[in-house]
């Protein structure tokens, strides 16, 4: 991996490694062989969960355990970590095996999220907990600021739709992929959300099946009048 690429990444991360081999390892996917980022990912996953839990505990002193757990799950879920990975432009620096390269793995949500966790683990080993905590909080500042312990919008559309239907003892929605277009590394999924009672369909599109399902659920909520368009 080119030194200047790593230097640019360190600038985006806001941290310069004492031992850059740790960063290189954090960016190495298991498709490259046995020396990969899985152990660092394991470590980083635990750290980010703790740091975000701590931040939420401080930010919402009146929130109940269940509220804090939901907020933390939203902050540390794969889609959020992958968003952070895209902000760091990790796709330019990932080390992938030939198979993953051909299939567009450098854009895959799970690979980006795992790499972010591995980088967190690498920073912890390189600089300790205080520096690692400061970096994580910096990366999550805007996302944490936008949270509300009582705001229903903290729940994703699929969860809100499910809870709406359950509260009325209606059948749960069914999601069906109706179309996939584009190259393997740049696909667009089309999903239909089908409701039995009340009877309606809503279509969503996204770069992943999950994203398309979320959009379809959001449109279904709008049709039900639960949320405004």
């Amino acid at each position: 991996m080119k030194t200047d690429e790593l230097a640019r990444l360190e600038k985006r991360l806001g941290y310069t490694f004492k031992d850059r081999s740790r960063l290189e390892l954090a960016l190495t996917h298991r498709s490259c062989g046995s020396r990969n980022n899985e152990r660092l990912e394991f470590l980083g996953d635990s750290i980010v969960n703790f740091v975000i839990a701590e931040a939420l505990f401080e930010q919402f002193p009146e929130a109940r355990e269940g509220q804090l757990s939901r907020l933390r799950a939203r902050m540390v879920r794969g889609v959020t970590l992958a968003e952070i990975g895209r902000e760091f432009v990790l796709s330019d620096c990932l080390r992938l095996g030939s198979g993953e390269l051909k299939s567009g793995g450098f854009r895959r949500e799970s690979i980006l999220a795992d790499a972010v966790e591995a980088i967190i683990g690498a920073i912890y080993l390189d600089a300790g907990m205080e520096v690692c905590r400061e970096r994580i909080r910096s990366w999550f500042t805007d996302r944490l600021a936008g949270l509300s312990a009582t705001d229903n919008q903290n729940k994703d559309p699929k969860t809100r739709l499910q809870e709406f239907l359950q509260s009325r003892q209606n059948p749960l929605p069914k999601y069906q992929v109706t179309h996939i277009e584009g190259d393997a590394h740049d696909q667009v999924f089309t999903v239909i959300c089908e409701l039995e009672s009340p009877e309606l369909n809503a279509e969503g599109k996204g770069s992943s099946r999950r994203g398309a399902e979320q959009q379809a659920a959001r449109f279904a909520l709008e049709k039900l009048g639960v949320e405004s368009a």
Side-chain angles (χ1 to χ4, degrees):
M1 195 175 300
K2 295 180 180 179
T3 301
D4 56 345
E5 287 181 349
L6 292 177
R8 286 194 293 269
L9 175 57
E10 287 177 332
K11 187 174 182 179
R12 294 191 292 268
L13 295 173
Y15 178 74
T16 301
F17 280 80
K18 303 182 189 77
D19 182 353
R20 191 171 274 176
S21 67
R22 289 181 171 131
L23 176 58
E24 293 176 335
L25 183 59
L27 296 168
T28 303
H29 187 254
R30 63 176 177 271
S31 59
C32 283
S34 59
R35 181 170 168 74
N36 57 60
N37 63 7
E38 286 187 323
R39 283 172 54 83
L40 286 175
E41 174 201 337
F42 166 79
L43 183 60
D45 174 69
S46 298
I47 294 169
V48 72
N49 269 276
F50 168 73
V51 171
I52 295 303
E54 178 186 54
L56 293 169
F57 185 85
E58 295 172 0
Q59 185 171 334
F60 300 107
E62 303 301 323
R64 298 185 299 276
E65 185 271 342
Q67 292 173 308
L68 293 173
S69 293
R70 285 193 295 273
L71 291 172
R72 181 181 61 181
R74 181 185 179 190
M75 288 292 96
V76 302
R77 63 186 179 178
V79 64
T80 304
L81 293 172
E83 286 173 359
I84 292 173
R86 293 188 190 99
E87 291 168 6
F88 293 151
V89 199
L90 287 188
S91 58
D92 288 353
C93 304
L94 292 173
R95 294 182 60 197
L96 305 173
S98 58
E100 285 292 349
L101 280 172
K102 290 177 182 177
S103 65
F106 58 91
R107 294 185 182 180
R108 190 163 298 136
E109 188 175 277
S110 59
I111 290 178
L112 289 168
D114 291 348
V116 170
E117 290 179 335
I119 288 171
I120 289 170
I123 292 175
Y124 169 77
L125 293 177
D126 201 65
M129 191 62 192
E130 290 306 312
V131 172
C132 191
R133 176 190 282 113
E134 186 276 329
R135 283 294 81 209
I136 294 171
R137 288 208 178 200
S138 173
W139 301 343
F140 280 85
T141 295
D142 292 341
R143 290 173 172 85
L144 289 167
L147 291 178
S148 167
T150 57
D151 186 356
N152 188 50
Q153 298 304 310
N154 288 327
K155 298 178 182 178
D156 63 69
K158 286 183 67 176
T159 300
R160 296 199 298 273
L161 178 59
Q162 178 175 312
E163 291 181 352
F164 174 83
L165 295 171
Q166 286 177 326
S167 70
R168 288 155 178 77
Q169 298 184 333
N170 291 343
L172 295 181
K174 296 179 181 178
Y175 297 91
Q176 180 179 354
V177 176
T178 58
H179 190 58
I180 302 174
E181 59 184 336
D183 297 330
H185 64 279
D186 192 22
Q187 292 181 327
V188 175
F189 291 77
T190 301
V191 167
I192 294 291
C193 174
E194 301 176 350
L195 274 62
E196 181 180 330
S197 178
E199 187 176 347
L200 66 82
N201 291 344
E203 181 181 275
K205 294 187 177 184
S207 58
S208 67
R209 176 172 180 164
R210 182 184 183 282
E213 289 177 351
Q214 295 289 4
Q215 187 183 80
R218 184 180 300 110
F219 290 155
L221 287 166
E222 291 174 2
K223 288 185 176 183
L224 290 167
V226 179
E227 297 179 5
S228 59

